[in-house]
Amino acid sequence: MFSMRGRHVDSWSAYKRVGSKDHIDSYDKEEDSVRLLNGKDVGHPSWKRSLRHVLVATLSSLLFGYHLGVVNETLESISLDLGFSGSTMAEGLVVSTCLGGAFVGSLFSGWIADGVGRRRAFQLCALPMIIGASMSATTNSLWGMLLGRLFVGIGMGLGPPVAALYVAEVSPTSVRGTFGSFTQIATCLGLMGALFIGIPSKEIVGWWRVCFWVPVIPAVILAIFMEFSAESPHWLFKRGRGTEAEAEFEKLLGGIHVKSAIAELSKSDRGDESDTLQFSDMLYGRHFKVIFIGSTLFALQQLSGINAVFYFSSTVFKSFGVPSDLANTCVGLANLLGSVLAMILMDKLGRKVLLVGSFSGMAVSMGLQVIAATSFASGSGSTYLSVGGMLLCVLTFSLGAGPVPSLLLSEILPGRIRAKAMAVCMAVHWVINFFVGLLFLRLLEQIGACVLYTIFGSFCLLGVIFVKKYIVETKGKSLQEIEIALLPQEVIV
């Protein structure tokens, strides 16, 4: 039980005695009165206060992107040095073992984030990344590499869901979408960094080991700087530590906005239920819809085939005679451009518009890949279509399907299940990611590019249909307003 339960029980009981529309109307009136100070509208909180805390958190996304891309340029050198060259299954394992570890990490991310807090969860995310990267950099065998990648994967699994939670909970409502896009930009920069740092690996013997040492530095910085960053006021409030939550809100939003922020949290407080939440509670009843939306959205994101591009773009481009360093530079720039555009448009166009446009563009890009793989295109025409299709896929992915799902899930999931439900949805993400990484090269050999890219394109079209039917717009709404609007009311009289 929370020590603050008694303090908020009256407002929660009153909420259950009215309809959601009446409650939201009364909430808006109360918020308006709170925002009027000495007859003047205090406006939105400044984004500058929370920016530095968000930037520290995005280091976890930078590491996530780096470790996703570190084997792209170096895989050939690693396989030659460790003695598994020519084995597509061994190469797939080097990629997918990391993803298997991420699945394990994501399963526990919600319980860790709720148990020790968001800041400590970030520090626990950095630890296995430091250990795993060091093991990979010093190993002399395939098994040592796989073990190191497993440790790194555990950290990768912890990082993204906690980053999405933290950014959503510490950001002012007016810039939550923009700040949420920072994680995608950081992931993109991590990928680009891995690709550029890996370029000399084909000429310099053992350079791939340097590539695995590099991410140890930002992981150490993340662990240290998180010690001085703000804790999530939402987590503190849920734990009954109201005074500390107020102090963190003052640090993040400014003292003038603390009262309205705490009042907003009180409206959706469910302290009497949070400690007894069971895993099965998220899969049945009134929480099933948001879990279904989150899991399906992440599944469609991965089944679009985007990570096959990130993991194996060097291999695919090489088959068309395109230099891998040039190709990967273009991939990185397309990813960065799309991520920056998403940051600009997220709080203007909204999440749903970006998702529909993103999945539609990816479907078109997969169609170009299919044409390139058929007899309708040959020679230079096939090369241009394939390379153009991949770049279009990356660009449109980074506009919506990349940054939106984790941000959207952190917004629509109710506070009492937010961390644990995010862990469940991310676990689905990593299971599918694992199999895409493991089987892509083998499927490319067995069924051919035409069929494989047709499958990916079909899932992109399914993504468009799913978003139009199930996704709600969340831009400009507080986390509490979204929760009240989405959850069915228990008592309405």
Side-chain angles (χ1 to χ4, degrees):
M1 290 295 176
F2 288 24
S3 60
M4 297 184 68
R5 178 183 172 187
R7 191 179 305 174
H8 304 296
V9 68
D10 292 338
S11 63
W12 173 232
S13 299
Y15 166 67
K16 292 198 290 184
R17 287 195 298 268
V18 298
S20 61
K21 182 179 185 303
D22 293 336
H23 174 75
I24 293 175
D25 290 342
S26 63
Y27 166 76
D28 288 339
K29 291 176 183 177
E30 180 178 338
E31 186 183 52
D32 289 342
S33 65
V34 170
R35 287 191 172 183
L36 288 172
L37 188 65
N38 297 326
K40 297 176 66 177
D41 187 355
V42 299
H44 296 296
S46 172
W47 53 267
K48 296 178 181 178
R49 287 179 170 269
S50 55
L51 177 61
R52 66 184 181 91
H53 305 281
V54 170
L55 291 179
V56 173
T58 55
L59 283 174
S60 65
S61 299
L62 181 78
L63 288 162
F64 173 78
Y66 187 93
H67 284 294
L68 278 181
V70 70
V71 296
N72 197 315
E73 281 286 341
T74 60
L75 189 56
E76 182 179 342
S77 300
I78 295 171
S79 63
L80 288 170
D81 208 358
L82 300 185
F84 58 89
S85 179
S87 172
T88 56
M89 182 57 71
E91 291 175 353
L93 280 172
V94 171
V95 173
S96 57
T97 298
C98 180
L99 308 180
F103 168 72
V104 175
S106 68
L107 278 180
F108 294 99
S109 63
W111 280 262
I112 292 173
D114 274 346
V116 301
R118 312 321 191 211
R119 289 194 309 138
R120 293 289 177 259
F122 277 118
Q123 293 173 323
L124 289 175
C125 152
L127 183 60
M129 284 191 171
I130 295 171
I131 296 171
S134 302
M135 292 178 65
S136 296
T138 56
T139 187
N140 291 310
S141 68
L142 172 61
W143 291 109
M145 172 60 69
L146 295 180
L147 186 59
R149 294 286 285 168
L150 182 66
F151 271 99
V152 164
I154 292 173
M156 290 171 63
L158 285 172
V162 177
L165 289 170
Y166 185 80
V167 172
E169 291 174 348
V170 304
S171 302
T173 299
S174 59
V175 293
R176 192 173 61 237
T178 300
F179 281 4
S181 300
F182 284 5
T183 58
Q184 176 66 16
I185 293 175
T187 301
C188 169
L189 292 175
L191 276 165
M192 291 181 66
L195 296 176
F196 282 119
I197 293 171
I199 288 175
S201 63
K202 291 181 173 59
E203 285 76 35
I204 303 176
V205 177
W207 181 261
W208 64 268
R209 297 184 185 275
V210 176
C211 297
F212 281 95
W213 278 120
V214 167
V216 172
I217 299 171
V220 171
I221 293 174
L222 173 64
I224 295 173
F225 277 42
M226 255 307 147
E227 192 64 31
F228 306 100
S229 298
E231 181 55 90
S232 164
H234 292 247
W235 179 76
L236 290 169
F237 189 84
K238 190 169 68 171
R239 303 290 289 187
R241 295 157 63 176
T243 303
E244 294 174 61
E246 291 179 6
E248 296 302 287
F249 268 134
E250 184 171 1
K251 186 187 301 183
L252 292 165
L253 306 178
I256 203 169
H257 297 282
V258 171
K259 185 177 179 181
S260 61
I262 291 294
E264 197 173 299
L265 278 181
S266 301
K267 300 300 177 182
S268 61
D269 177 50
R270 287 168 170 80
D272 57 330
E273 302 175 15
S274 292
D275 280 346
T276 60
L277 180 68
Q278 302 296 322
F279 183 81
S280 59
D281 294 338
M282 295 182 290
L283 303 180
Y284 305 98
R286 67 200 196 103
H287 294 305
F288 172 77
K289 181 179 179 180
V290 288
I291 299 294
F292 167 75
I293 290 173
S295 299
T296 306
L297 192 57
F298 274 124
L300 290 169
Q301 179 199 60
Q302 294 306 304
L303 291 170
S304 70
I306 184 60
N307 278 324
V309 177
F310 287 137
Y311 299 149
F312 302 109
S313 60
S314 294
T315 303
V316 174
F317 282 129
K318 184 179 178 180
S319 67
F320 286 102
V322 180
S324 61
D325 54 349
L326 174 61
N328 288 328
T329 298
C330 293
V331 167
L333 290 175
N335 196 7
L336 180 61
L337 175 60
S339 300
V340 171
L341 289 174
M343 178 189 70
I344 296 170
L345 299 174
M346 192 74 74
D347 285 315
K348 294 181 179 179
L349 296 182
R351 288 53 155 163
K352 188 170 184 176
V353 172
L354 290 182
L355 276 177
V356 170
S358 179
F359 277 118
S360 299
M362 293 172 74
V364 172
S365 73
M366 290 301 168
L368 294 178
Q369 295 279 23
V370 171
I371 295 172
T374 64
S375 58
F376 294 106
S378 59
S380 60
S382 176
T383 301
Y384 291 138
L385 281 173
S386 182
V387 173
M390 278 198 172
L391 294 180
L392 178 62
C393 182
V394 172
L395 176 65
T396 52
F397 171 82
S398 58
L399 272 172
V404 172
S406 58
L407 170 65
L408 186 70
L409 263 291
S410 65
E411 292 177 324
I412 68 173
L413 292 170
R416 68 179 289 258
I417 69 165
R418 187 174 294 136
K420 296 180 178 69
M422 181 68 78
V424 173
C425 296
M426 286 299 296
V428 174
H429 165 282
W430 285 116
V431 167
I432 299 176
N433 199 333
F434 172 85
F435 285 108
V436 170
L438 180 65
L439 300 175
F440 176 73
L441 289 179
R442 179 60 61 89
L443 289 173
L444 198 59
E445 290 178 351
Q446 297 295 320
I447 66 176
C450 185
V451 176
L452 185 57
Y453 289 125
T454 298
I455 294 172
F456 287 149
S458 299
F459 280 113
C460 291
L461 292 176
L462 281 176
V464 174
I465 297 170
F466 179 82
V467 169
K468 287 185 174 182
K469 184 174 182 179
Y470 290 104
I471 301 301
V472 297
E473 186 53 69
T474 59
K475 72 168 183 174
K477 300 177 182 177
S478 72
L479 298 180
Q480 284 66 44
E481 286 177 297
I482 297 167
E483 179 174 344
I484 291 169
L486 280 178
L487 281 182
Q489 306 306 308
E490 292 177 329
V491 179
I492 300 179
V493 295

